Amino acid sequence: MSQVTQIAQPFNSHIPTESYDAIVVGGGHNGLVCAAYLAKAGKKVLVLESRHILGGAAASDEIFPGFTFSVYSYVVSLFRPHIVRELDLTRHGYQVIPLECTFTPFPDGESMTRCGDPEATRREIARFSPTDAEVAPRFSLAMTQMASFIKHLIDSPAPDLTALRISEVAKLLGLGRRFKALADGGKYVFTKLMTMSAVEFLNLWFESDRLVGPMSVSGIIGTFLGVRSPGTAYVLLHHYMGEIDGAFRSWGFSKGGTGGVSLACARAARSFGADIRTQAAVEKIILRAGKAAGVVVRGGHEIKSKTVISAVDAHQTFFKMIGAQHLDADFVQQLKRFKYRGSSAKVNLAVDRLPDFGCKPGDGPHLRGDITIAPGVEYLEKAYDDAKYGNFSERPFLDIVIPSLTDPTVAPPGKHVISIFVQYAPYHLKEGPEQWPAKREALGDTVVDTLAEYCPDIKDSILHRQVVTPWDLEQDVGLTEGNIFQGELSLEQLGPFRPVSGWSRYQTPIDHLWMCGSCVHPGGGIMGAPGELAAKTLLKSS
Amino acid sequence: MPIPTPFHDRTASLCTSHRWTDWAGYCAVCSYNLPNDSEYYALRHAAGLIDISPLFKYEVTGPDAAAFLSRIMTKNIEDIPGGRAVYCCWCDDFGKIIDDGTVFRLDKDRLRVHTAEPMLAWFKQFKRGFNVTLEDMTAKIAAVAIQGPTSRKILRQITDVDLDALAYYRVLTVQLDKLPVLISRTGYTGDLGYEIWVENAAALPLWDALMSAGKPYLLQPVGLDVLDIARIEAGLMLNGVEFHNAAHCLVELQKSTPFELGLGWTVDLEREPFCGQRALSAEQAAGSRFAFVGLELDWDEQQALYAKHGLPVQFNRGAWRSGVPVYNNDGSRQIGKATSGTWSPIVKKNLALASVETRYAQNGTVLKIEYTVEYRRETVSAVVAPMPFYNPEHKKT
Ligand SMILES: Cc1cc2nc3c(=O)[nH]c(=O)nc-3n(C[C@H](O)[C@H](O)[C@H](O)COP(=O)(O)OP(=O)(O)OC[C@H]3O[C@@H](n4cnc5c(N)ncnc54)[C@H](O)[C@@H]3O)c2cc1C
């Protein structure tokens, strides 16, 4: 909190009266990145964030005294390294500590620990499948190759398929050239990725369910799809293309929680002169002669601006802040077809000791990384089945991290925070989404019960529990239907189709209104890319 | 064959990687784990425990102790009040560096000197006329460094002494978990940290006390590989890498002076005679030929070199000290050498320590450094940058 107040002021403490070159609606990390680039280019920028803290879905908060939770997102990988350089973010406190391990406990008392020591990992996998053990490094190599191929795509605006301008064709050709340059094996892999389900794709490599199960979950994170749904293979790649210091696929903890990334972006924006305000909910985007000309903040304050850049999702922007009556019917139809249908929740625990896994007792490197409760494909499919009929999974997929084992700033000495990402928790409960508050603690119990099957003493160690449902994501962060990525990251909603085909290039049908959040290319995750690309495109256009 | 340090029983059981090196005749851990990233991050975000027992340690006692060391060192040791530590170096008659290290003034008549190389014989040469005794304590005293942002909190668990009063470069005799130790607010990581000096017999109880007090603060044992990254980030030089003991050099070219190494601030010229004084005065008047600088390698150019081969940038794990040429901006002439370097995970830059001709030493000067990609020798731009590269506020507060 105190850190936030040094960077941003509450809106009411001193209401801005001047007019701005650009107002950024939403102080999530993308809004802040966008503001930083614009301010760096000399623009007069105002960021308006509705909450009392910055960061949106990448925020840290001391929910229980002494314990700082990464309330929503919890690990960092996708954040673009060149943004760190261009905005000098290390100077502003950007610090990411890589995770050491992936640990998968199984219900039969077995477990698998994959870590940075390749030989140890090979021996570990070989306990279940000697072939898989040998194939695993080849799979990693293929994915690294894919990630470096795709990196170019996420680091530039999506090719615009509707405008057949020379530059666009060149861009597609550029991609084609890169595709040609891929080794033959690489082309094959890419084609499979674009068409298959996560499980089918992984089965091309691996035979053991103990590997395929936990690996396939990257294909469903944030989607209302199952690991066997077509198209989920590509989503795998979205989670593999992150890098830390050149190591693709590595994820890390942001010091002080994922809010640390947002605060670093905010400090950079401040250093370039941007004005950042919290507790400033934008109610309306002002249109003058059909063009965006400013915003109205809750309380009725109007602020003028030459450009408005929305960092919130398309639904909130167009239906809440603009109004369908100002939009072309076809555009409205397309916006309505854009899928949100959130399916994930978060449980954060403050505990007085480390969890003790029955299948791998005591402390060790296995607790310092990613702990995945996804013991097999069938388990995941069952979890999805529950969701299809409007229930949260009786036994959900859990992705667990204990950042306090690596970052001493997030919990008192000897105590820990446990962050649990949960899927499926569908926004659309069969009783209706508004029933979520009544079901919140039941979901919390299910999650703790699931974990307790692997570490029975977990229940006694809990000092505080926070449950964040999709409903809460919508209410608190403005994520429509609680979708963690401001819109599902499925193949048909990526690149030139995000959020609406023809409008993937940060501009909107409303003149002077731009978009820079996760709902535009290249999409969700703590990545900074939508914010950066929007700012760069805008600067180029003016 | 290297021999164990007094901490060996503990370090050996923790060294799961079995990666050891010889440090001044002792077995020293390169890295406890494989990979050793967690050691680096412990050092930078929590705390690391490093066995530094192989350092050479000399006790100088007697009424002339400070005067005697002032005769040897570039720094005027007589000026240093009790309870203080200083970093300094010492030279031969020609002002060429012999070694660097720390000097602790325990009290008026008792000082400790810590060196990278054996120095008994060198120091003894200056004894005539001074009322001092010189004792080699190397094999009698064990030492560990506890470094990193949580180091002070850890020590607080096992001592009643007010550690906030132990300012940067101060020394104090205290009890840690009832063990009498000497503790100094010094280190080789450029972060908050302490070095603890203890009789051999108390070494293992001290290690155990630190490790158990440190657990809730995420203390980890840290090997020399990671220390090497940290010291480069801190802009700290290493004997045998950034410079060579002049007494071991065959030719002048291999020697360097404190001024050339950026250690001018440790040279007190206006005082009683000391070894190398005349040469150093002359050098100060005339200017030095070389200067010690930090370099940051240009990212885009590195990336472009890899891209030529269709590769993403490859990151070397750990520090290098193989030494590469440094050229002027257009690459037409070699104007220096980079002696060691590393990718810095915390600064997110490729860094190097270098010695360049003085006129190329201004911050912001763009030079070229040799850079090999896929067995091809190339160059990339490197800008002279202020050091330390990493300098957290908590280092001195
Ligand atoms: C539970 C969860 C777990 C996740 N886990 C990960 C993970 O581990 N790793 C990862 O990389 N990604 C993860 N993600 C995704 C990632 O966090 C998001 O994609 C990313 O943070 C979105 O950033 P953004 O700036 O685009 O949008 P947001 O973070 O959504 O920012 C939008 C901002 O706008 C504000 N706002 C909304 N309405 C208004 C208004 N009317 N006026 C003013 N301000 C308004 C909101 O409060 C918010 O601060 C997760 C997301 C969630 C929800």
PDB file of all heavy atoms in Angstrom, chain A residues 85 95 97-98 100 116-117 245-246 255 363 404 408 413-414, chain B residues 34-35 38 41 45 215-218 299 315 343 345-346 348:
ATOM      1  N   ARG A  85      14.194  -3.470 -20.926  1.00  0.00           N
ATOM      2  CA  ARG A  85      15.336  -2.618 -21.321  1.00  0.00           C
ATOM      3  C   ARG A  85      14.881  -1.216 -21.688  1.00  0.00           C
ATOM      4  O   ARG A  85      15.447  -0.225 -21.226  1.00  0.00           O
ATOM      5  CB  ARG A  85      16.057  -3.243 -22.517  1.00  0.00           C
ATOM      6  CG  ARG A  85      16.876  -4.462 -22.175  1.00  0.00           C
ATOM      7  CD  ARG A  85      17.785  -4.858 -23.341  1.00  0.00           C
ATOM      8  NE  ARG A  85      17.040  -5.307 -24.504  1.00  0.00           N
ATOM      9  CZ  ARG A  85      16.591  -6.560 -24.663  1.00  0.00           C
ATOM     10  NH1 ARG A  85      16.822  -7.460 -23.734  1.00  0.00           N
ATOM     11  NH2 ARG A  85      15.922  -6.900 -25.739  1.00  0.00           N
ATOM     12  N   GLN A  95      12.111  -7.298 -10.613  1.00  0.00           N
ATOM     13  CA  GLN A  95      12.996  -8.405 -10.241  1.00  0.00           C
ATOM     14  C   GLN A  95      12.216  -9.704 -10.293  1.00  0.00           C
ATOM     15  O   GLN A  95      11.227  -9.855  -9.589  1.00  0.00           O
ATOM     16  CB  GLN A  95      13.554  -8.191  -8.829  1.00  0.00           C
ATOM     17  CG  GLN A  95      14.511  -7.012  -8.778  1.00  0.00           C
ATOM     18  CD  GLN A  95      15.194  -6.854  -7.431  1.00  0.00           C
ATOM     19  OE1 GLN A  95      14.929  -7.596  -6.496  1.00  0.00           O
ATOM     20  NE2 GLN A  95      16.081  -5.889  -7.343  1.00  0.00           N
ATOM     21  N   ILE A  97      12.489 -13.905 -10.068  1.00  0.00           N
ATOM     22  CA  ILE A  97      13.327 -14.998  -9.570  1.00  0.00           C
ATOM     23  C   ILE A  97      12.792 -16.303 -10.157  1.00  0.00           C
ATOM     24  O   ILE A  97      11.650 -16.670  -9.895  1.00  0.00           O
ATOM     25  CB  ILE A  97      13.265 -15.063  -8.032  1.00  0.00           C
ATOM     26  CG1 ILE A  97      13.504 -13.672  -7.426  1.00  0.00           C
ATOM     27  CG2 ILE A  97      14.230 -16.096  -7.502  1.00  0.00           C
ATOM     28  CD1 ILE A  97      13.141 -13.548  -5.953  1.00  0.00           C
ATOM     29  N   PRO A  98      13.586 -16.993 -10.984  1.00  0.00           N
ATOM     30  CA  PRO A  98      13.054 -18.188 -11.658  1.00  0.00           C
ATOM     31  C   PRO A  98      12.665 -19.309 -10.692  1.00  0.00           C
ATOM     32  O   PRO A  98      13.289 -19.485  -9.656  1.00  0.00           O
ATOM     33  CB  PRO A  98      14.227 -18.646 -12.539  1.00  0.00           C
ATOM     34  CG  PRO A  98      15.242 -17.580 -12.494  1.00  0.00           C
ATOM     35  CD  PRO A  98      14.969 -16.714 -11.327  1.00  0.00           C
ATOM     36  N   GLU A 100      12.433 -23.158  -9.546  1.00  0.00           N
ATOM     37  CA  GLU A 100      13.437 -24.210  -9.691  1.00  0.00           C
ATOM     38  C   GLU A 100      12.896 -25.487 -10.303  1.00  0.00           C
ATOM     39  O   GLU A 100      13.627 -26.207 -10.953  1.00  0.00           O
ATOM     40  CB  GLU A 100      13.979 -24.586  -8.310  1.00  0.00           C
ATOM     41  CG  GLU A 100      15.086 -23.715  -7.826  1.00  0.00           C
ATOM     42  CD  GLU A 100      15.565 -24.176  -6.457  1.00  0.00           C
ATOM     43  OE1 GLU A 100      15.757 -25.383  -6.259  1.00  0.00           O
ATOM     44  OE2 GLU A 100      15.727 -23.299  -5.611  1.00  0.00           O
ATOM     45  N   GLY A 116      15.953 -28.237 -12.898  1.00  0.00           N
ATOM     46  CA  GLY A 116      16.941 -27.706 -13.833  1.00  0.00           C
ATOM     47  C   GLY A 116      18.131 -28.621 -14.066  1.00  0.00           C
ATOM     48  O   GLY A 116      18.967 -28.334 -14.921  1.00  0.00           O
ATOM     49  N   ASP A 117      18.242 -29.693 -13.312  1.00  0.00           N
ATOM     50  CA  ASP A 117      19.345 -30.625 -13.508  1.00  0.00           C
ATOM     51  C   ASP A 117      18.875 -31.684 -14.505  1.00  0.00           C
ATOM     52  O   ASP A 117      18.066 -32.546 -14.177  1.00  0.00           O
ATOM     53  CB  ASP A 117      19.710 -31.251 -12.152  1.00  0.00           C
ATOM     54  CG  ASP A 117      20.768 -32.333 -12.272  1.00  0.00           C
ATOM     55  OD1 ASP A 117      21.094 -32.751 -13.403  1.00  0.00           O
ATOM     56  OD2 ASP A 117      21.273 -32.772 -11.227  1.00  0.00           O
ATOM     57  N   ASP A 245      15.881 -14.530 -18.926  1.00  0.00           N
ATOM     58  CA  ASP A 245      17.304 -14.525 -19.253  1.00  0.00           C
ATOM     59  C   ASP A 245      17.642 -15.571 -20.311  1.00  0.00           C
ATOM     60  O   ASP A 245      18.600 -16.330 -20.189  1.00  0.00           O
ATOM     61  CB  ASP A 245      18.155 -14.747 -17.999  1.00  0.00           C
ATOM     62  CG  ASP A 245      17.955 -13.619 -16.994  1.00  0.00           C
ATOM     63  OD1 ASP A 245      17.341 -12.604 -17.356  1.00  0.00           O
ATOM     64  OD2 ASP A 245      18.417 -13.751 -15.861  1.00  0.00           O
ATOM     65  N   GLY A 246      16.804 -15.621 -21.335  1.00  0.00           N
ATOM     66  CA  GLY A 246      17.108 -16.484 -22.463  1.00  0.00           C
ATOM     67  C   GLY A 246      16.646 -17.917 -22.297  1.00  0.00           C
ATOM     68  O   GLY A 246      16.738 -18.706 -23.224  1.00  0.00           O
ATOM     69  N   LYS A 255       9.522 -10.301  -7.321  1.00  0.00           N
ATOM     70  CA  LYS A 255       9.784  -9.935  -5.932  1.00  0.00           C
ATOM     71  C   LYS A 255       8.625  -9.084  -5.403  1.00  0.00           C
ATOM     72  O   LYS A 255       8.199  -8.145  -6.050  1.00  0.00           O
ATOM     73  CB  LYS A 255      11.090  -9.173  -5.836  1.00  0.00           C
ATOM     74  CG  LYS A 255      11.464  -8.914  -4.411  1.00  0.00           C
ATOM     75  CD  LYS A 255      12.873  -8.434  -4.295  1.00  0.00           C
ATOM     76  CE  LYS A 255      13.181  -8.165  -2.844  1.00  0.00           C
ATOM     77  NZ  LYS A 255      14.383  -7.378  -2.725  1.00  0.00           N
ATOM     78  N   ASP A 363      10.925 -30.658   3.559  1.00  0.00           N
ATOM     79  CA  ASP A 363      11.277 -29.512   2.722  1.00  0.00           C
ATOM     80  C   ASP A 363      12.183 -30.001   1.590  1.00  0.00           C
ATOM     81  O   ASP A 363      12.757 -31.074   1.673  1.00  0.00           O
ATOM     82  CB  ASP A 363      12.026 -28.509   3.618  1.00  0.00           C
ATOM     83  CG  ASP A 363      12.244 -27.167   2.941  1.00  0.00           C
ATOM     84  OD1 ASP A 363      11.796 -26.993   1.789  1.00  0.00           O
ATOM     85  OD2 ASP A 363      12.872 -26.297   3.575  1.00  0.00           O
ATOM     86  N   SER A 404       6.975 -17.560  -0.825  1.00  0.00           N
ATOM     87  CA  SER A 404       7.695 -17.167   0.391  1.00  0.00           C
ATOM     88  C   SER A 404       8.916 -18.035   0.658  1.00  0.00           C
ATOM     89  O   SER A 404       9.735 -17.724   1.517  1.00  0.00           O
ATOM     90  CB  SER A 404       6.748 -17.239   1.585  1.00  0.00           C
ATOM     91  OG  SER A 404       6.080 -18.486   1.561  1.00  0.00           O
ATOM     92  N   PRO A 408      11.727 -13.530   0.628  1.00  0.00           N
ATOM     93  CA  PRO A 408      11.443 -13.359   2.053  1.00  0.00           C
ATOM     94  C   PRO A 408      10.540 -12.172   2.373  1.00  0.00           C
ATOM     95  O   PRO A 408      10.134 -12.011   3.514  1.00  0.00           O
ATOM     96  CB  PRO A 408      12.836 -13.148   2.662  1.00  0.00           C
ATOM     97  CG  PRO A 408      13.675 -12.631   1.555  1.00  0.00           C
ATOM     98  CD  PRO A 408      13.111 -13.196   0.283  1.00  0.00           C
ATOM     99  N   PRO A 413       8.998 -14.358   8.828  1.00  0.00           N
ATOM    100  CA  PRO A 413       9.966 -15.464   8.848  1.00  0.00           C
ATOM    101  C   PRO A 413       9.340 -16.760   9.360  1.00  0.00           C
ATOM    102  O   PRO A 413       8.630 -16.749  10.368  1.00  0.00           O
ATOM    103  CB  PRO A 413      11.062 -14.964   9.805  1.00  0.00           C
ATOM    104  CG  PRO A 413      10.664 -13.612  10.270  1.00  0.00           C
ATOM    105  CD  PRO A 413       9.481 -13.162   9.498  1.00  0.00           C
ATOM    106  N   GLY A 414       9.598 -17.836   8.633  1.00  0.00           N
ATOM    107  CA  GLY A 414       9.116 -19.146   9.055  1.00  0.00           C
ATOM    108  C   GLY A 414       7.677 -19.428   8.638  1.00  0.00           C
ATOM    109  O   GLY A 414       7.220 -20.553   8.736  1.00  0.00           O
TER     110      GLY A 414
ATOM    111  N   LEU B  34      23.083 -28.083  -8.487  1.00  0.00           N
ATOM    112  CA  LEU B  34      23.147 -28.075  -9.935  1.00  0.00           C
ATOM    113  C   LEU B  34      21.712 -28.027 -10.461  1.00  0.00           C
ATOM    114  O   LEU B  34      20.958 -28.974 -10.178  1.00  0.00           O
ATOM    115  CB  LEU B  34      23.836 -29.346 -10.415  1.00  0.00           C
ATOM    116  CG  LEU B  34      24.286 -29.372 -11.854  1.00  0.00           C
ATOM    117  CD1 LEU B  34      25.601 -28.663 -11.979  1.00  0.00           C
ATOM    118  CD2 LEU B  34      24.411 -30.805 -12.330  1.00  0.00           C
ATOM    119  N   PRO B  35      21.322 -26.993 -11.151  1.00  0.00           N
ATOM    120  CA  PRO B  35      22.043 -25.753 -11.394  1.00  0.00           C
ATOM    121  C   PRO B  35      22.105 -24.906 -10.109  1.00  0.00           C
ATOM    122  O   PRO B  35      21.431 -25.239  -9.139  1.00  0.00           O
ATOM    123  CB  PRO B  35      21.176 -25.063 -12.449  1.00  0.00           C
ATOM    124  CG  PRO B  35      19.801 -25.610 -12.274  1.00  0.00           C
ATOM    125  CD  PRO B  35      19.965 -27.002 -11.743  1.00  0.00           C
ATOM    126  N   SER B  38      19.603 -20.946  -7.653  1.00  0.00           N
ATOM    127  CA  SER B  38      18.988 -20.610  -6.361  1.00  0.00           C
ATOM    128  C   SER B  38      20.018 -19.968  -5.437  1.00  0.00           C
ATOM    129  O   SER B  38      19.673 -19.156  -4.585  1.00  0.00           O
ATOM    130  CB  SER B  38      18.389 -21.854  -5.723  1.00  0.00           C
ATOM    131  OG  SER B  38      19.404 -22.760  -5.393  1.00  0.00           O
ATOM    132  N   TYR B  41      20.099 -16.269  -6.408  1.00  0.00           N
ATOM    133  CA  TYR B  41      18.933 -15.512  -5.974  1.00  0.00           C
ATOM    134  C   TYR B  41      18.856 -15.412  -4.455  1.00  0.00           C
ATOM    135  O   TYR B  41      18.355 -14.421  -3.920  1.00  0.00           O
ATOM    136  CB  TYR B  41      17.657 -16.087  -6.607  1.00  0.00           C
ATOM    137  CG  TYR B  41      17.609 -15.762  -8.084  1.00  0.00           C
ATOM    138  CD1 TYR B  41      17.995 -16.689  -9.044  1.00  0.00           C
ATOM    139  CD2 TYR B  41      17.262 -14.484  -8.505  1.00  0.00           C
ATOM    140  CE1 TYR B  41      17.999 -16.367 -10.393  1.00  0.00           C
ATOM    141  CE2 TYR B  41      17.259 -14.152  -9.846  1.00  0.00           C
ATOM    142  CZ  TYR B  41      17.632 -15.094 -10.787  1.00  0.00           C
ATOM    143  OH  TYR B  41      17.643 -14.754 -12.118  1.00  0.00           O
ATOM    144  N   HIS B  45      18.386 -11.873  -2.862  1.00  0.00           N
ATOM    145  CA  HIS B  45      17.055 -11.577  -2.309  1.00  0.00           C
ATOM    146  C   HIS B  45      16.893 -12.003  -0.859  1.00  0.00           C
ATOM    147  O   HIS B  45      15.987 -11.550  -0.183  1.00  0.00           O
ATOM    148  CB  HIS B  45      15.968 -12.245  -3.152  1.00  0.00           C
ATOM    149  CG  HIS B  45      15.914 -11.707  -4.540  1.00  0.00           C
ATOM    150  ND1 HIS B  45      15.422 -10.454  -4.810  1.00  0.00           N
ATOM    151  CD2 HIS B  45      16.325 -12.213  -5.720  1.00  0.00           C
ATOM    152  CE1 HIS B  45      15.522 -10.216  -6.114  1.00  0.00           C
ATOM    153  NE2 HIS B  45      16.066 -11.273  -6.677  1.00  0.00           N
ATOM    154  N   LYS B 215      17.419 -20.182   8.521  1.00  0.00           N
ATOM    155  CA  LYS B 215      16.409 -20.928   7.759  1.00  0.00           C
ATOM    156  C   LYS B 215      15.134 -20.112   7.496  1.00  0.00           C
ATOM    157  O   LYS B 215      14.691 -19.998   6.348  1.00  0.00           O
ATOM    158  CB  LYS B 215      16.088 -22.252   8.452  1.00  0.00           C
ATOM    159  CG  LYS B 215      15.247 -23.178   7.600  1.00  0.00           C
ATOM    160  CD  LYS B 215      15.287 -24.599   8.118  1.00  0.00           C
ATOM    161  CE  LYS B 215      14.804 -25.596   7.088  1.00  0.00           C
ATOM    162  NZ  LYS B 215      13.437 -25.604   6.720  1.00  0.00           N
ATOM    163  N   PRO B 216      14.551 -19.526   8.543  1.00  0.00           N
ATOM    164  CA  PRO B 216      13.323 -18.741   8.270  1.00  0.00           C
ATOM    165  C   PRO B 216      13.575 -17.526   7.384  1.00  0.00           C
ATOM    166  O   PRO B 216      12.626 -16.956   6.849  1.00  0.00           O
ATOM    167  CB  PRO B 216      12.859 -18.303   9.663  1.00  0.00           C
ATOM    168  CG  PRO B 216      13.694 -19.042  10.646  1.00  0.00           C
ATOM    169  CD  PRO B 216      14.894 -19.553   9.964  1.00  0.00           C
ATOM    170  N   TYR B 217      14.839 -17.153   7.249  1.00  0.00           N
ATOM    171  CA  TYR B 217      15.176 -15.989   6.413  1.00  0.00           C
ATOM    172  C   TYR B 217      15.761 -16.418   5.070  1.00  0.00           C
ATOM    173  O   TYR B 217      16.389 -15.634   4.377  1.00  0.00           O
ATOM    174  CB  TYR B 217      16.137 -15.064   7.171  1.00  0.00           C
ATOM    175  CG  TYR B 217      15.502 -14.502   8.425  1.00  0.00           C
ATOM    176  CD1 TYR B 217      15.620 -15.180   9.636  1.00  0.00           C
ATOM    177  CD2 TYR B 217      14.750 -13.341   8.369  1.00  0.00           C
ATOM    178  CE1 TYR B 217      15.004 -14.692  10.779  1.00  0.00           C
ATOM    179  CE2 TYR B 217      14.137 -12.838   9.511  1.00  0.00           C
ATOM    180  CZ  TYR B 217      14.268 -13.516  10.707  1.00  0.00           C
ATOM    181  OH  TYR B 217      13.646 -13.027  11.839  1.00  0.00           O
ATOM    182  N   LEU B 218      15.578 -17.706   4.762  1.00  0.00           N
ATOM    183  CA  LEU B 218      15.931 -18.263   3.453  1.00  0.00           C
ATOM    184  C   LEU B 218      17.428 -18.214   3.150  1.00  0.00           C
ATOM    185  O   LEU B 218      17.846 -18.074   2.004  1.00  0.00           O
ATOM    186  CB  LEU B 218      15.134 -17.570   2.334  1.00  0.00           C
ATOM    187  CG  LEU B 218      13.622 -17.447   2.577  1.00  0.00           C
ATOM    188  CD1 LEU B 218      12.954 -16.826   1.347  1.00  0.00           C
ATOM    189  CD2 LEU B 218      12.981 -18.785   2.895  1.00  0.00           C
ATOM    190  N   TRP B 299      22.831  -4.764 -26.262  1.00  0.00           N
ATOM    191  CA  TRP B 299      21.952  -5.917 -26.421  1.00  0.00           C
ATOM    192  C   TRP B 299      21.614  -6.195 -27.882  1.00  0.00           C
ATOM    193  O   TRP B 299      21.697  -7.327 -28.356  1.00  0.00           O
ATOM    194  CB  TRP B 299      20.663  -5.708 -25.631  1.00  0.00           C
ATOM    195  CG  TRP B 299      19.757  -6.872 -25.842  1.00  0.00           C
ATOM    196  CD1 TRP B 299      18.745  -6.973 -26.734  1.00  0.00           C
ATOM    197  CD2 TRP B 299      19.867  -8.130 -25.201  1.00  0.00           C
ATOM    198  NE1 TRP B 299      18.188  -8.219 -26.682  1.00  0.00           N
ATOM    199  CE2 TRP B 299      18.870  -8.952 -25.750  1.00  0.00           C
ATOM    200  CE3 TRP B 299      20.710  -8.655 -24.214  1.00  0.00           C
ATOM    201  CZ2 TRP B 299      18.692 -10.270 -25.347  1.00  0.00           C
ATOM    202  CZ3 TRP B 299      20.528  -9.965 -23.816  1.00  0.00           C
ATOM    203  CH2 TRP B 299      19.535 -10.755 -24.385  1.00  0.00           C
ATOM    204  N   PHE B 315      22.631 -17.377 -23.465  1.00  0.00           N
ATOM    205  CA  PHE B 315      23.142 -16.777 -22.236  1.00  0.00           C
ATOM    206  C   PHE B 315      24.175 -17.704 -21.611  1.00  0.00           C
ATOM    207  O   PHE B 315      23.884 -18.864 -21.371  1.00  0.00           O
ATOM    208  CB  PHE B 315      22.005 -16.579 -21.248  1.00  0.00           C
ATOM    209  CG  PHE B 315      21.120 -15.431 -21.614  1.00  0.00           C
ATOM    210  CD1 PHE B 315      20.210 -15.538 -22.653  1.00  0.00           C
ATOM    211  CD2 PHE B 315      21.206 -14.243 -20.921  1.00  0.00           C
ATOM    212  CE1 PHE B 315      19.387 -14.485 -22.991  1.00  0.00           C
ATOM    213  CE2 PHE B 315      20.392 -13.182 -21.257  1.00  0.00           C
ATOM    214  CZ  PHE B 315      19.481 -13.295 -22.294  1.00  0.00           C
ATOM    215  N   TRP B 343      26.705 -12.339 -17.369  1.00  0.00           N
ATOM    216  CA  TRP B 343      25.326 -11.880 -17.532  1.00  0.00           C
ATOM    217  C   TRP B 343      24.823 -11.611 -16.120  1.00  0.00           C
ATOM    218  O   TRP B 343      24.983 -12.439 -15.220  1.00  0.00           O
ATOM    219  CB  TRP B 343      24.458 -12.942 -18.208  1.00  0.00           C
ATOM    220  CG  TRP B 343      22.995 -12.618 -18.081  1.00  0.00           C
ATOM    221  CD1 TRP B 343      22.104 -13.193 -17.211  1.00  0.00           C
ATOM    222  CD2 TRP B 343      22.261 -11.623 -18.803  1.00  0.00           C
ATOM    223  NE1 TRP B 343      20.871 -12.616 -17.366  1.00  0.00           N
ATOM    224  CE2 TRP B 343      20.934 -11.642 -18.325  1.00  0.00           C
ATOM    225  CE3 TRP B 343      22.598 -10.714 -19.807  1.00  0.00           C
ATOM    226  CZ2 TRP B 343      19.942 -10.788 -18.819  1.00  0.00           C
ATOM    227  CZ3 TRP B 343      21.607  -9.868 -20.295  1.00  0.00           C
ATOM    228  CH2 TRP B 343      20.306  -9.904 -19.802  1.00  0.00           C
ATOM    229  N   PRO B 345      21.744 -11.361 -13.855  1.00  0.00           N
ATOM    230  CA  PRO B 345      20.304 -11.611 -13.814  1.00  0.00           C
ATOM    231  C   PRO B 345      19.538 -10.472 -13.136  1.00  0.00           C
ATOM    232  O   PRO B 345      18.350 -10.330 -13.379  1.00  0.00           O
ATOM    233  CB  PRO B 345      20.181 -12.891 -12.979  1.00  0.00           C
ATOM    234  CG  PRO B 345      21.524 -13.531 -13.046  1.00  0.00           C
ATOM    235  CD  PRO B 345      22.500 -12.407 -13.143  1.00  0.00           C
ATOM    236  N   ILE B 346      20.199  -9.687 -12.313  1.00  0.00           N
ATOM    237  CA  ILE B 346      19.449  -8.650 -11.600  1.00  0.00           C
ATOM    238  C   ILE B 346      19.475  -7.323 -12.353  1.00  0.00           C
ATOM    239  O   ILE B 346      18.505  -6.575 -12.345  1.00  0.00           O
ATOM    240  CB  ILE B 346      19.930  -8.522 -10.140  1.00  0.00           C
ATOM    241  CG1 ILE B 346      18.856  -7.869  -9.277  1.00  0.00           C
ATOM    242  CG2 ILE B 346      21.233  -7.765 -10.020  1.00  0.00           C
ATOM    243  CD1 ILE B 346      18.925  -8.229  -7.822  1.00  0.00           C
ATOM    244  N   LYS B 348      20.100  -7.323 -15.622  1.00  0.00           N
ATOM    245  CA  LYS B 348      19.644  -7.752 -16.948  1.00  0.00           C
ATOM    246  C   LYS B 348      20.515  -7.187 -18.061  1.00  0.00           C
ATOM    247  O   LYS B 348      20.023  -6.670 -19.063  1.00  0.00           O
ATOM    248  CB  LYS B 348      18.173  -7.386 -17.186  1.00  0.00           C
ATOM    249  CG  LYS B 348      17.242  -8.001 -16.158  1.00  0.00           C
ATOM    250  CD  LYS B 348      16.366  -9.074 -16.752  1.00  0.00           C
ATOM    251  CE  LYS B 348      15.552  -9.830 -15.735  1.00  0.00           C
ATOM    252  NZ  LYS B 348      16.246 -10.997 -15.149  1.00  0.00           N
TER     253      LYS B 348
END
